[in-house]
Amino acid sequence: MTTARSIIPLLNRLISRSQPSRSVTYMHRPGDGSPRPVTLIPGDGVGPLVTDAVEQVMEAMHAPVYFEKFEVHGTMKKFPEEVLDSIRKNKVCIKGGLATPMGGGVNSLNVYLRKELDLYASLVNCFNMRGLPTRHENVDIVVIRENTEGEYAGLEHEVVPGVVESLKVITKFCSERIASYAFEYAYLNNRKKVTAVHKANIMKLADGLFLEACREVAQKYPAIQYNEIIVDNCCMQLVSKPEQFDVMVTPNLYGNLVANTAAGICGGTGVMPGGNVGAEHAVFEQGASAGNVGKDSIVAQKTANPVALLLSSAMMLRHLQFPAFADRLETAVQKVILQGKVRTKDLGGSSTTQEVVDAVIDALD
Amino acid sequence: AVNGMIKYEEVVIDNCCMMFVKNPALFDVLVMPNLYGDNISDLCAGLVGAATLVRGIALAEAVYGSAPDIAGKNMGFECLFHEKFGKSNCFTAEWCSMLRHLNLHDKADLIQNAILNTIAEGKYQTADLGGKAKTIEFTNAIIDHL
């Protein structure tokens, strides 16, 4: 089994080297090349390090974007209105994580931003990177997670001292739109299968409603395979046979767990790109565990992994309809990972963030 | 009496999932609420190879909510297995847990060793472990090893 599976990636590499890759034929409208403003929020912890990495690489590529930087910290009581206005104007934002204090009734500003701008879909792309061997191969999963309701509705109250009730809210409206997003994504990106993740055997009404919505949307896309899986079995399958999954659509909490598990099996949250999108805006950030601002030691030694945010910024460039720049950035990052010489600690190396950035800039063509 | 030698730390569930799949050796004992426990235990099961190799115990509490009353009342043994798997392996391991609980350690050891030897030998393995043996063949193999 190992011989057959190890030949295929080798063949792919040989084929891609022998055939000249066709250049991108993006026929733009006159004026599309003028620089687009993007809101940039460095955030807390490792956030400023990795957003700085993005700024440097964009500068080196002369990408047609310019950043409007705003300082936001997780300790702030409210999200500054001027930042929200900027995002509403620019429609696109890239950010580092905002530290959320544990407990204490202080709500996460990351979650607040997603709800305020109605960024109802969170997307994480977890895939094997060449040069980064993991326990599994041929993994390419996209987790699409409902971002506004479910267990994150934020409705908790203490009934009597020592008894807390937490409300999980699932609506047909939100379930339908996340399912529609997932199937539309699969359709536009030539994906073959959408899997709905649930726990409807226990939460019969809540997750049952979610499944109902998914099934209705699935009927509108007969060419895309649809199946359902219970979340605990899903976790188990993810760690034993992840190649069976393609696109996964999940409610809020399960999506968090599934996305992080999938990210972990492909190399960790330091490398997986992702973002949040709604009808009007898109906010790009590190794929999974976006609220994790890293340990103090990583911040002090400046060894945060910028790969995740760099790949997310490539997704952002494609979203802004600059496909050639996106391709260049992705190719450069993949080259650096493949060569394996410059890697941060989470990938088994000992380089600093700046060294990785320099390597990516060198690898740009 | 509180044992001051046990290290305690807290980890957010999403970070935990990620760390688990990257390096499960980081963790020793995990305590968590219901839903997360459901997920993490299946995740562990997937990591060790199959749900049927993992066993669990659910101890019901005494009526007035004090620490589990191990004098024999209200005990239930729950097997961690998924609908598709659920083979004899899991149940026999469960019996081991119960035998230990009843202080029949030597019998429990006998059965446990038999199971481990059967798996190590590799001749009879059920589908979830990558083999083709039927439940009854596997069970007979365990009995032979006793």
Side-chain angles (χ1 to χ4, degrees):
Chain A
M1 188 158 80
T2 40
T3 358
R5 285 174 104 188
S6 57
I7 282 182
I8 294 170
L10 190 63
L11 276 176
N12 280 337
R13 227 177 296 163
L14 286 172
I15 291 170
S16 61
R17 259 193 236 144
S18 60
Q19 280 175 355
S21 56
R22 190 156 173 260
S23 47
V24 177
T25 53
Y26 167 51
M27 194 167 92
H28 71 286
R29 285 229 188 88
D32 278 356
S34 41
R36 297 276 300 271
V38 170
T39 311
L40 177 75
I41 301 175
D44 298 317
V46 299
L49 268 177
V50 294
T51 49
D52 181 63
V54 170
E55 282 183 282
Q56 286 185 42
V57 174
M58 291 290 165
E59 179 80 44
M61 279 203 299
H62 304 296
V65 292
Y66 66 92
F67 294 108
E68 292 179 1
K69 222 194 288 201
F70 290 95
E71 288 294 323
V72 181
H73 300 286
T75 46
M76 290 178 171
K77 295 252 175 9
K78 266 176 44 73
F79 212 95
E81 201 54 44
E82 49 170 2
V83 186
L84 285 173
D85 286 335
S86 165
I87 305 179
R88 288 191 185 109
K89 170 178 73 84
N90 297 334
K91 307 282 188 209
V92 177
C93 167
I94 187 159
K95 67 182 263 284
L98 298 171
T100 309
M102 223 63 70
V106 179
N107 290 328
S108 158
L109 286 183
N110 297 309
V111 176
Y112 175 83
L113 184 65
R114 291 170 200 150
K115 285 194 187 166
E116 187 62 26
L117 297 174
D118 201 21
L119 303 169
Y120 64 84
S122 161
L123 195 153
V124 184
N125 185 9
C126 304
F127 55 98
N128 278 131
M129 297 196 78
R130 281 166 35 191
L132 200 60
T134 56
R135 217 173 129 165
H136 309 278
E137 288 166 21
N138 293 325
V139 184
D140 191 354
I141 300 174
V142 174
V143 182
I144 294 180
R145 157 195 177 191
E146 206 290 324
N147 225 357
T148 58
E149 58 169 22
E151 300 81 351
Y152 288 52
L155 301 165
E156 292 187 317
H157 58 276
E158 195 167 22
V159 181
V160 291
V163 179
V164 172
E165 257 182 8
S166 185
L167 293 178
K168 163 175 163 159
V169 179
I170 298 272
T171 57
K172 185 79 180 278
F173 173 67
C174 289
S175 305
E176 227 166 47
R177 65 181 186 175
I178 193 68
S180 296
Y181 187 83
F183 277 93
E184 198 176 40
Y185 178 90
Y187 169 55
L188 290 170
N189 287 277
N190 196 23
R191 295 280 189 158
K192 311 290 185 240
K193 186 162 75 164
V194 174
T195 306
V197 181
H198 66 98
K199 188 89 186 145
N201 50 346
I202 304 294
M203 282 167 269
K204 301 187 203 291
L205 291 180
D207 289 354
L209 184 58
F210 178 78
L211 283 184
E212 219 179 272
C214 289
R215 285 171 194 154
E216 275 174 25
V217 176
Q219 292 188 337
K220 299 190 197 142
Y221 293 86
I224 298 177
Q225 240 186 307
Y226 168 71
N227 65 347
E228 299 166 358
I229 188 169
I230 299 185
V231 62
D232 50 8
N233 187 22
C234 175
C235 284
M236 186 162 64
Q237 298 294 328
L238 265 176
V239 297
S240 43
K241 293 195 211 85
E243 54 275 358
Q244 64 182 287
F245 295 111
D246 194 352
V247 176
M248 301 172 79
V249 60
T250 80
N252 213 329
L253 182 65
Y254 312 149
N256 191 357
L257 308 189
V258 165
N260 276 267
T261 310
I265 59 175
C266 296
T269 51
V271 280
M272 298 297 135
N276 309 278
V277 64
E280 313 257 321
H281 314 94
V283 173
F284 293 88
E285 52 188 359
Q286 178 182 299
S289 240
N292 180 1
V293 295
K295 295 197 274 240
D296 292 331
S297 54
I298 303 182
V299 181
Q301 291 162 16
K302 301 203 195 311
T303 51
N305 197 343
V307 173
L309 204 64
L310 283 172
L311 289 176
S312 296
S313 65
M315 281 172 68
M316 177 188 80
L317 288 170
R318 220 173 258 115
H319 181 86
L320 290 167
Q321 294 181 304
F322 300 133
F325 287 95
D327 287 347
R328 278 173 67 198
L329 178 46
E330 276 175 2
T331 312
V333 172
Q334 280 167 359
K335 222 187 275 184
V336 171
I337 300 275
L338 178 61
Q339 282 167 358
K341 282 188 279 199
V342 185
R343 275 187 197 176
T344 46
K345 187 150 173 256
D346 57 322
L347 299 180
S350 54
S351 313
T352 60
T353 311
Q354 190 56 50
E355 285 168 5
V356 178
V357 173
D358 292 335
V360 169
I361 293 178
D362 276 335
L364 285 169
D365 60 18
Chain B
V2 173
N3 185 345
M5 304 284 280
I6 300 178
K7 196 164 160 233
Y8 169 74
E9 47 183 44
E10 298 167 359
V11 64
V12 179
I13 185 69
D14 53 5
N15 207 14
C16 173
C17 282
M18 207 257 306
M19 286 157 70
F20 222 107
V21 293
K22 281 192 87 179
N23 186 9
L26 286 170
F27 297 103
D28 195 354
V29 176
L30 294 146
V31 58
M32 64 203 93
N34 208 333
L35 181 64
Y36 306 152
D38 201 357
N39 282 349
I40 297 282
S41 52
D42 274 38
L43 207 144
C44 290
L47 281 176
V48 301
T52 52
L53 292 177
V54 177
R55 52 185 196 246
I57 302 178
L59 290 171
E61 293 188 29
V63 175
Y64 26 90
S66 59
D69 185 351
I70 307 187
K73 310 188 193 75
N74 294 340
M75 285 200 323
F77 285 87
E78 195 184 290
C79 198
L80 278 175
F81 70 99
H82 179 254
E83 299 94 69
K84 279 208 197 126
F85 302 143
K87 302 287 194 304
S88 61
N89 197 356
C90 195
F91 284 107
T92 29
E94 277 316 296
W95 282 104
C96 284
S97 300
M98 198 171 82
L99 289 171
R100 278 189 216 288
H101 203 84
L102 297 169
N103 282 328
L104 293 166
H105 295 289
D106 47 343
K107 306 283 189 291
D109 283 337
L110 260 180
I111 300 183
Q112 182 158 322
N113 286 335
I115 299 177
L116 291 174
N117 285 337
T118 314
I119 297 179
E121 208 184 49
K123 270 206 291 198
Y124 295 100
Q125 299 216 356
T126 46
D128 54 304
L129 296 173
K132 293 208 203 64
K134 297 212 207 39
T135 308
I136 189 73
E137 289 172 12
F138 192 71
T139 317
N140 286 337
I142 297 180
I143 296 173
D144 283 337
H145 272 107
L146 278 173

mmCIF file of all heavy atoms in Angstrom, chain B residues 43-85:
data_model
loop_
_atom_site.group_PDB
_atom_site.id
_atom_site.type_symbol
_atom_site.label_atom_id
_atom_site.label_comp_id
_atom_site.label_asym_id
_atom_site.label_seq_id
_atom_site.Cartn_x
_atom_site.Cartn_y
_atom_site.Cartn_z
ATOM 1 N N LEU B 43 -12.014 10.451 19.198
ATOM 2 C CA LEU B 43 -10.791 10.888 18.542
ATOM 3 C C LEU B 43 -9.635 10.024 19.018
ATOM 4 O O LEU B 43 -8.826 9.538 18.223
ATOM 5 C CB LEU B 43 -10.544 12.348 18.889
ATOM 6 C CG LEU B 43 -9.760 13.181 17.914
ATOM 7 C CD1 LEU B 43 -10.317 14.576 17.904
ATOM 8 C CD2 LEU B 43 -8.323 13.256 18.330
ATOM 9 N N CYS B 44 -9.562 9.827 20.326
ATOM 10 C CA CYS B 44 -8.509 8.959 20.892
ATOM 11 C C CYS B 44 -8.614 7.578 20.306
ATOM 12 O O CYS B 44 -7.608 6.965 19.955
ATOM 13 C CB CYS B 44 -8.680 8.783 22.396
ATOM 14 S SG CYS B 44 -8.356 10.204 23.331
ATOM 15 N N ALA B 45 -9.839 7.090 20.250
ATOM 16 C CA ALA B 45 -10.043 5.743 19.739
ATOM 17 C C ALA B 45 -9.514 5.637 18.330
ATOM 18 O O ALA B 45 -8.836 4.680 17.964
ATOM 19 C CB ALA B 45 -11.527 5.394 19.777
ATOM 20 N N GLY B 46 -9.802 6.640 17.511
ATOM 21 C CA GLY B 46 -9.293 6.649 16.147
ATOM 22 C C GLY B 46 -7.785 6.650 16.122
ATOM 23 O O GLY B 46 -7.152 5.993 15.305
ATOM 24 N N LEU B 47 -7.178 7.380 17.057
ATOM 25 C CA LEU B 47 -5.723 7.468 17.086
ATOM 26 C C LEU B 47 -5.080 6.151 17.478
ATOM 27 O O LEU B 47 -4.033 5.794 16.954
ATOM 28 C CB LEU B 47 -5.279 8.551 18.072
ATOM 29 C CG LEU B 47 -5.376 9.988 17.589
ATOM 30 C CD1 LEU B 47 -5.001 10.911 18.724
ATOM 31 C CD2 LEU B 47 -4.466 10.219 16.412
ATOM 32 N N VAL B 48 -5.707 5.420 18.423
ATOM 33 C CA VAL B 48 -5.053 4.175 18.826
ATOM 34 C C VAL B 48 -5.330 3.056 17.849
ATOM 35 O O VAL B 48 -4.730 2.013 17.925
ATOM 36 C CB VAL B 48 -5.442 3.721 20.256
ATOM 37 C CG1 VAL B 48 -5.091 4.771 21.266
ATOM 38 C CG2 VAL B 48 -6.884 3.332 20.358
ATOM 39 N N GLY B 49 -6.270 3.250 16.960
ATOM 40 C CA GLY B 49 -6.458 2.244 15.923
ATOM 41 C C GLY B 49 -7.898 1.883 15.678
ATOM 42 O O GLY B 49 -8.321 1.710 14.566
ATOM 43 N N ALA B 50 -8.676 1.725 16.704
ATOM 44 C CA ALA B 50 -10.071 1.359 16.486
ATOM 45 C C ALA B 50 -10.856 1.584 17.759
ATOM 46 O O ALA B 50 -10.324 1.477 18.847
ATOM 47 C CB ALA B 50 -10.184 -0.104 16.080
ATOM 48 N N ALA B 51 -12.130 1.853 17.593
ATOM 49 C CA ALA B 51 -12.970 2.110 18.759
ATOM 50 C C ALA B 51 -13.030 0.896 19.660
ATOM 51 O O ALA B 51 -13.211 1.007 20.861
ATOM 52 C CB ALA B 51 -14.371 2.499 18.312
ATOM 53 N N THR B 52 -12.884 -0.262 19.077
ATOM 54 C CA THR B 52 -13.063 -1.471 19.872
ATOM 55 C C THR B 52 -11.921 -1.737 20.821
ATOM 56 O O THR B 52 -11.996 -2.599 21.674
ATOM 57 C CB THR B 52 -13.211 -2.694 18.966
ATOM 58 O OG1 THR B 52 -12.111 -2.676 18.054
ATOM 59 C CG2 THR B 52 -14.507 -2.633 18.208
ATOM 60 N N LEU B 53 -10.823 -0.989 20.671
ATOM 61 C CA LEU B 53 -9.712 -1.256 21.573
ATOM 62 C C LEU B 53 -9.771 -0.401 22.822
ATOM 63 O O LEU B 53 -8.974 -0.537 23.724
ATOM 64 C CB LEU B 53 -8.375 -0.988 20.869
ATOM 65 C CG LEU B 53 -8.045 -1.952 19.751
ATOM 66 C CD1 LEU B 53 -6.752 -1.549 19.098
ATOM 67 C CD2 LEU B 53 -7.915 -3.363 20.291
ATOM 68 N N VAL B 54 -10.734 0.517 22.835
ATOM 69 C CA VAL B 54 -10.807 1.455 23.946
ATOM 70 C C VAL B 54 -11.974 1.082 24.828
ATOM 71 O O VAL B 54 -13.044 0.782 24.362
ATOM 72 C CB VAL B 54 -10.993 2.886 23.398
ATOM 73 C CG1 VAL B 54 -11.134 3.864 24.534
ATOM 74 C CG2 VAL B 54 -9.819 3.261 22.537
ATOM 75 N N ARG B 55 -11.781 1.103 26.122
ATOM 76 C CA ARG B 55 -12.909 0.794 26.994
ATOM 77 C C ARG B 55 -13.142 1.940 27.951
ATOM 78 O O ARG B 55 -12.257 2.721 28.258
ATOM 79 C CB ARG B 55 -12.633 -0.489 27.758
ATOM 80 C CG ARG B 55 -11.309 -0.434 28.440
ATOM 81 C CD ARG B 55 -10.969 -1.743 29.092
ATOM 82 N NE ARG B 55 -9.892 -1.484 30.020
ATOM 83 C CZ ARG B 55 -8.674 -1.968 29.886
ATOM 84 N NH1 ARG B 55 -8.386 -2.756 28.893
ATOM 85 N NH2 ARG B 55 -7.754 -1.677 30.766
ATOM 86 N N GLY B 56 -14.333 2.048 28.392
ATOM 87 C CA GLY B 56 -14.656 3.153 29.285
ATOM 88 C C GLY B 56 -15.535 2.691 30.409
ATOM 89 O O GLY B 56 -16.162 1.647 30.367
ATOM 90 N N ILE B 57 -15.552 3.486 31.448
ATOM 91 C CA ILE B 57 -16.383 3.136 32.592
ATOM 92 C C ILE B 57 -17.233 4.335 32.947
ATOM 93 O O ILE B 57 -16.747 5.459 33.007
ATOM 94 C CB ILE B 57 -15.512 2.797 33.822
ATOM 95 C CG1 ILE B 57 -14.576 1.650 33.507
ATOM 96 C CG2 ILE B 57 -16.400 2.440 34.997
ATOM 97 C CD1 ILE B 57 -13.674 1.305 34.661
ATOM 98 N N ALA B 58 -18.516 4.105 33.154
ATOM 99 C CA ALA B 58 -19.358 5.179 33.647
ATOM 100 C C ALA B 58 -19.814 4.781 35.040
ATOM 101 O O ALA B 58 -20.468 3.766 35.227
ATOM 102 C CB ALA B 58 -20.552 5.359 32.726
ATOM 103 N N LEU B 59 -19.425 5.569 36.011
ATOM 104 C CA LEU B 59 -19.846 5.246 37.365
ATOM 105 C C LEU B 59 -20.983 6.178 37.733
ATOM 106 O O LEU B 59 -20.805 7.372 37.814
ATOM 107 C CB LEU B 59 -18.685 5.453 38.345
ATOM 108 C CG LEU B 59 -17.547 4.461 38.249
ATOM 109 C CD1 LEU B 59 -16.382 4.921 39.116
ATOM 110 C CD2 LEU B 59 -18.007 3.094 38.716
ATOM 111 N N ALA B 60 -22.137 5.633 37.998
ATOM 112 C CA ALA B 60 -23.247 6.489 38.375
ATOM 113 C C ALA B 60 -23.059 6.941 39.809
ATOM 114 O O ALA B 60 -22.515 6.225 40.626
ATOM 115 C CB ALA B 60 -24.553 5.724 38.222
ATOM 116 N N GLU B 61 -23.495 8.135 40.092
ATOM 117 C CA GLU B 61 -23.311 8.633 41.460
ATOM 118 C C GLU B 61 -24.455 8.192 42.338
ATOM 119 O O GLU B 61 -25.538 7.923 41.901
ATOM 120 C CB GLU B 61 -23.237 10.148 41.428
ATOM 121 C CG GLU B 61 -22.002 10.642 40.729
ATOM 122 C CD GLU B 61 -21.839 12.140 40.870
ATOM 123 O OE1 GLU B 61 -22.295 12.682 41.879
ATOM 124 O OE2 GLU B 61 -21.272 12.738 39.974
ATOM 125 N N ALA B 62 -24.194 8.155 43.609
ATOM 126 C CA ALA B 62 -25.260 7.834 44.563
ATOM 127 C C ALA B 62 -26.315 8.926 44.513
ATOM 128 O O ALA B 62 -26.060 10.027 44.080
ATOM 129 C CB ALA B 62 -24.664 7.720 45.954
ATOM 130 N N VAL B 63 -27.489 8.638 44.963
ATOM 131 C CA VAL B 63 -28.639 9.515 44.801
ATOM 132 C C VAL B 63 -28.409 10.929 45.303
ATOM 133 O O VAL B 63 -28.801 11.907 44.702
ATOM 134 C CB VAL B 63 -29.854 8.898 45.539
ATOM 135 C CG1 VAL B 63 -31.031 9.846 45.485
ATOM 136 C CG2 VAL B 63 -30.220 7.590 44.878
ATOM 137 N N TYR B 64 -27.742 11.090 46.445
ATOM 138 C CA TYR B 64 -27.566 12.432 46.973
ATOM 139 C C TYR B 64 -26.322 13.124 46.429
ATOM 140 O O TYR B 64 -25.839 14.062 47.011
ATOM 141 C CB TYR B 64 -27.557 12.426 48.512
ATOM 142 C CG TYR B 64 -27.119 11.126 49.095
ATOM 143 C CD1 TYR B 64 -25.799 10.866 49.374
ATOM 144 C CD2 TYR B 64 -28.052 10.114 49.346
ATOM 145 C CE1 TYR B 64 -25.403 9.664 49.885
ATOM 146 C CE2 TYR B 64 -27.660 8.891 49.863
ATOM 147 C CZ TYR B 64 -26.334 8.669 50.136
ATOM 148 O OH TYR B 64 -25.938 7.475 50.637
ATOM 149 N N GLY B 65 -25.782 12.651 45.304
ATOM 150 C CA GLY B 65 -24.748 13.400 44.611
ATOM 151 C C GLY B 65 -23.383 13.435 45.258
ATOM 152 O O GLY B 65 -22.580 14.289 44.954
ATOM 153 N N SER B 66 -23.097 12.498 46.131
ATOM 154 C CA SER B 66 -21.741 12.508 46.695
ATOM 155 C C SER B 66 -20.822 11.711 45.784
ATOM 156 O O SER B 66 -21.221 11.280 44.729
ATOM 157 C CB SER B 66 -21.757 11.902 48.098
ATOM 158 O OG SER B 66 -22.253 10.590 48.025
ATOM 159 N N ALA B 67 -19.596 11.519 46.181
ATOM 160 C CA ALA B 67 -18.635 10.807 45.336
ATOM 161 C C ALA B 67 -19.138 9.392 45.056
ATOM 162 O O ALA B 67 -19.894 8.847 45.835
ATOM 163 C CB ALA B 67 -17.295 10.738 46.055
ATOM 164 N N PRO B 68 -18.726 8.832 43.925
ATOM 165 C CA PRO B 68 -19.275 7.524 43.529
ATOM 166 C C PRO B 68 -19.216 6.500 44.659
ATOM 167 O O PRO B 68 -18.198 6.285 45.269
ATOM 168 C CB PRO B 68 -18.373 7.098 42.375
ATOM 169 C CG PRO B 68 -17.890 8.349 41.809
ATOM 170 C CD PRO B 68 -17.778 9.325 42.917
ATOM 171 N N ASP B 69 -20.315 5.882 44.908
ATOM 172 C CA ASP B 69 -20.413 4.893 45.971
ATOM 173 C C ASP B 69 -19.995 3.548 45.397
ATOM 174 O O ASP B 69 -20.730 2.919 44.656
ATOM 175 C CB ASP B 69 -21.857 4.862 46.465
ATOM 176 C CG ASP B 69 -22.005 3.929 47.650
ATOM 177 O OD1 ASP B 69 -21.040 3.207 47.965
ATOM 178 O OD2 ASP B 69 -23.079 3.944 48.244
ATOM 179 N N ILE B 70 -18.803 3.130 45.731
ATOM 180 C CA ILE B 70 -18.275 1.943 45.066
ATOM 181 C C ILE B 70 -18.618 0.679 45.836
ATOM 182 O O ILE B 70 -18.095 -0.381 45.580
ATOM 183 C CB ILE B 70 -16.747 2.119 44.871
ATOM 184 C CG1 ILE B 70 -16.503 3.449 44.173
ATOM 185 C CG2 ILE B 70 -16.168 1.024 44.014
ATOM 186 C CD1 ILE B 70 -15.084 3.681 43.780
ATOM 187 N N ALA B 71 -19.539 0.804 46.792
ATOM 188 C CA ALA B 71 -19.880 -0.400 47.540
ATOM 189 C C ALA B 71 -20.799 -1.330 46.771
ATOM 190 O O ALA B 71 -21.351 -2.253 47.316
ATOM 191 C CB ALA B 71 -20.533 -0.010 48.860
ATOM 192 N N GLY B 72 -20.973 -1.073 45.491
ATOM 193 C CA GLY B 72 -21.754 -2.026 44.704
ATOM 194 C C GLY B 72 -23.065 -1.482 44.189
ATOM 195 O O GLY B 72 -23.694 -2.076 43.340
ATOM 196 N N LYS B 73 -23.483 -0.295 44.683
ATOM 197 C CA LYS B 73 -24.753 0.215 44.186
ATOM 198 C C LYS B 73 -24.544 1.075 42.943
ATOM 199 O O LYS B 73 -23.533 1.722 42.779
ATOM 200 C CB LYS B 73 -25.389 1.125 45.259
ATOM 201 C CG LYS B 73 -25.464 0.542 46.640
ATOM 202 C CD LYS B 73 -26.284 1.486 47.508
ATOM 203 C CE LYS B 73 -26.156 1.155 48.979
ATOM 204 N NZ LYS B 73 -24.930 1.524 49.627
ATOM 205 N N ASN B 74 -25.515 1.118 42.082
ATOM 206 C CA ASN B 74 -25.542 2.064 40.957
ATOM 207 C C ASN B 74 -24.295 2.088 40.110
ATOM 208 O O ASN B 74 -23.726 3.130 39.874
ATOM 209 C CB ASN B 74 -25.753 3.493 41.479
ATOM 210 C CG ASN B 74 -27.119 3.636 42.101
ATOM 211 O OD1 ASN B 74 -27.995 2.833 41.816
ATOM 212 N ND2 ASN B 74 -27.274 4.625 42.933
ATOM 213 N N MET B 75 -23.848 0.956 39.657
ATOM 214 C CA MET B 75 -22.679 0.965 38.786
ATOM 215 C C MET B 75 -23.082 0.541 37.393
ATOM 216 O O MET B 75 -23.838 -0.402 37.210
ATOM 217 C CB MET B 75 -21.615 -0.002 39.305
ATOM 218 C CG MET B 75 -20.910 0.560 40.524
ATOM 219 S SD MET B 75 -19.336 -0.223 40.796
ATOM 220 C CE MET B 75 -19.681 -1.880 40.351
ATOM 221 N N GLY B 76 -22.579 1.212 36.410
ATOM 222 C CA GLY B 76 -22.872 0.790 35.041
ATOM 223 C C GLY B 76 -21.577 0.741 34.277
ATOM 224 O O GLY B 76 -20.696 1.547 34.498
ATOM 225 N N PHE B 77 -21.434 -0.180 33.412
ATOM 226 C CA PHE B 77 -20.234 -0.227 32.590
ATOM 227 C C PHE B 77 -20.602 0.060 31.151
ATOM 228 O O PHE B 77 -21.462 -0.566 30.577
ATOM 229 C CB PHE B 77 -19.562 -1.605 32.714
ATOM 230 C CG PHE B 77 -18.867 -1.739 34.018
ATOM 231 C CD1 PHE B 77 -19.560 -2.185 35.123
ATOM 232 C CD2 PHE B 77 -17.552 -1.373 34.162
ATOM 233 C CE1 PHE B 77 -18.925 -2.285 36.343
ATOM 234 C CE2 PHE B 77 -16.915 -1.471 35.377
ATOM 235 C CZ PHE B 77 -17.603 -1.927 36.469
ATOM 236 N N GLU B 78 -19.948 1.024 30.602
ATOM 237 C CA GLU B 78 -20.314 1.449 29.267
ATOM 238 C C GLU B 78 -19.173 1.146 28.328
ATOM 239 O O GLU B 78 -18.020 1.341 28.631
ATOM 240 C CB GLU B 78 -20.535 2.946 29.309
ATOM 241 C CG GLU B 78 -21.244 3.499 28.130
ATOM 242 C CD GLU B 78 -21.307 5.002 28.277
ATOM 243 O OE1 GLU B 78 -22.044 5.446 29.165
ATOM 244 O OE2 GLU B 78 -20.606 5.681 27.541
ATOM 245 N N CYS B 79 -19.525 0.640 27.209
ATOM 246 C CA CYS B 79 -18.499 0.291 26.255
ATOM 247 C C CYS B 79 -18.387 1.396 25.224
ATOM 248 O O CYS B 79 -19.385 1.876 24.726
ATOM 249 C CB CYS B 79 -18.934 -0.995 25.579
ATOM 250 S SG CYS B 79 -17.623 -1.832 24.787
ATOM 251 N N LEU B 80 -17.181 1.829 24.914
ATOM 252 C CA LEU B 80 -17.014 2.836 23.878
ATOM 253 C C LEU B 80 -16.920 2.125 22.549
ATOM 254 O O LEU B 80 -15.914 1.540 22.224
ATOM 255 C CB LEU B 80 -15.713 3.599 24.097
ATOM 256 C CG LEU B 80 -15.720 4.740 25.101
ATOM 257 C CD1 LEU B 80 -14.317 5.244 25.227
ATOM 258 C CD2 LEU B 80 -16.633 5.838 24.659
ATOM 259 N N PHE B 81 -17.947 2.131 21.805
ATOM 260 C CA PHE B 81 -17.797 1.549 20.475
ATOM 261 C C PHE B 81 -18.760 2.217 19.521
ATOM 262 O O PHE B 81 -19.774 2.763 19.916
ATOM 263 C CB PHE B 81 -18.029 0.040 20.498
ATOM 264 C CG PHE B 81 -19.460 -0.366 20.737
ATOM 265 C CD1 PHE B 81 -20.285 -0.714 19.681
ATOM 266 C CD2 PHE B 81 -19.977 -0.394 22.008
ATOM 267 C CE1 PHE B 81 -21.601 -1.083 19.900
ATOM 268 C CE2 PHE B 81 -21.291 -0.772 22.228
ATOM 269 C CZ PHE B 81 -22.104 -1.118 21.183
ATOM 270 N N HIS B 82 -18.441 2.202 18.304
ATOM 271 C CA HIS B 82 -19.283 2.810 17.300
ATOM 272 C C HIS B 82 -20.198 1.754 16.699
ATOM 273 O O HIS B 82 -19.867 0.587 16.670
ATOM 274 C CB HIS B 82 -18.409 3.416 16.197
ATOM 275 C CG HIS B 82 -19.221 4.034 15.128
ATOM 276 N ND1 HIS B 82 -19.378 3.472 13.894
ATOM 277 C CD2 HIS B 82 -19.984 5.138 15.128
ATOM 278 C CE1 HIS B 82 -20.175 4.226 13.174
ATOM 279 N NE2 HIS B 82 -20.551 5.249 13.884
ATOM 280 N N GLU B 83 -21.357 2.176 16.219
ATOM 281 C CA GLU B 83 -22.359 1.229 15.714
ATOM 282 C C GLU B 83 -21.760 0.213 14.760
ATOM 283 O O GLU B 83 -22.104 -0.953 14.775
ATOM 284 C CB GLU B 83 -23.484 1.941 14.949
ATOM 285 C CG GLU B 83 -24.271 2.938 15.745
ATOM 286 C CD GLU B 83 -23.708 4.324 15.566
ATOM 287 O OE1 GLU B 83 -23.840 4.860 14.463
ATOM 288 O OE2 GLU B 83 -23.132 4.836 16.518
ATOM 289 N N LYS B 84 -20.847 0.679 13.889
ATOM 290 C CA LYS B 84 -20.367 -0.253 12.870
ATOM 291 C C LYS B 84 -19.439 -1.306 13.447
ATOM 292 O O LYS B 84 -19.342 -2.392 12.910
ATOM 293 C CB LYS B 84 -19.592 0.521 11.793
ATOM 294 C CG LYS B 84 -20.476 1.168 10.787
ATOM 295 C CD LYS B 84 -19.762 1.311 9.446
ATOM 296 C CE LYS B 84 -20.493 2.322 8.584
ATOM 297 N NZ LYS B 84 -19.664 3.375 8.097
ATOM 298 N N PHE B 85 -18.727 -0.967 14.461
ATOM 299 C CA PHE B 85 -17.720 -1.903 14.967
ATOM 300 C C PHE B 85 -18.304 -2.844 16.022
ATOM 301 O O PHE B 85 -18.795 -3.886 15.714
ATOM 302 C CB PHE B 85 -16.511 -1.130 15.503
ATOM 303 C CG PHE B 85 -15.885 -0.235 14.466
ATOM 304 C CD1 PHE B 85 -15.380 0.996 14.786
ATOM 305 C CD2 PHE B 85 -15.818 -0.652 13.144
ATOM 306 C CE1 PHE B 85 -14.813 1.801 13.825
ATOM 307 C CE2 PHE B 85 -15.253 0.156 12.176
ATOM 308 C CZ PHE B 85 -14.747 1.392 12.528
#
